[in-house]
């Protein structure tokens, strides 16, 4: 029964991480669409300034995606497992 509880806890954590990434992605799309709309309404044809927030935030979004989707498990999950193993080995 403990294995099922642990698997469920892990599944919930992974699902939460994926939902958080999707929320982050939606915020990125909505905000940058708004910035682009402001650009089009005010200075279309001039210097495309919305590229800078898109690039800066895009780097963070890419890092978030990598932490959630790389190698089938998140970096956080691997770090937690490593710390658990260290703690188990250090017990008397």
């Amino acid at each position: 029964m403990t294995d099922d509880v642990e698997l469920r806890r892990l599944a919930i954590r992974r699902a939460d991480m994926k939902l958080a990434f999707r929320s982050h992605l939606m915020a990125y799309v909505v905000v940058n669409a708004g910035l682009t709309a402001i650009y089009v309404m005010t200075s279309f044809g001039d210097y495309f300034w919305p590229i800078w927030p898109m690039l800066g935030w895009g780097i963070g979004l890419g890092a978030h995606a990598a932490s959630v989707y790389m190698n089938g498990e998140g970096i956080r999950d691997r770090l937690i497992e490593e710390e658990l193993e260290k703690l188990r080995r250090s017990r008397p």
Side-chain angles (χ1 to χ4, degrees):
M1 173 97 68
T2 304
D3 290 337
D4 289 340
V5 171
E6 289 301 317
L7 285 175
R8 179 169 173 73
R9 195 171 293 149
L10 179 61
I12 289 170
R13 185 170 53 234
R14 287 184 182 180
D16 287 344
M17 290 172 62
K18 289 178 181 179
L19 288 172
F21 173 73
R22 289 179 187 171
S23 295
H24 188 182
L25 178 62
M26 287 305 300
Y28 176 85
V29 169
V30 169
V31 169
N32 285 303
L35 291 174
T36 302
I38 291 169
Y39 164 76
V40 167
M41 290 186 290
T42 60
S43 59
F44 189 69
D46 290 340
Y47 177 72
F48 185 68
W49 55 265
I51 192 67
W52 297 112
M54 286 178 186
L55 288 175
W57 193 350
I59 291 169
L61 187 64
H64 191 175
S67 73
V68 172
Y69 292 105
M70 292 292 282
N71 299 326
E73 65 180 30
I75 293 170
R76 182 175 182 264
D77 291 335
R78 282 182 293 211
L79 290 173
I80 290 170
E81 288 302 319
E82 288 174 12
E83 289 301 319
L84 282 172
E85 286 302 314
K86 286 179 187 176
L87 290 171
R88 286 181 183 131
R89 279 186 261 139
S90 68
R91 279 189 178 169

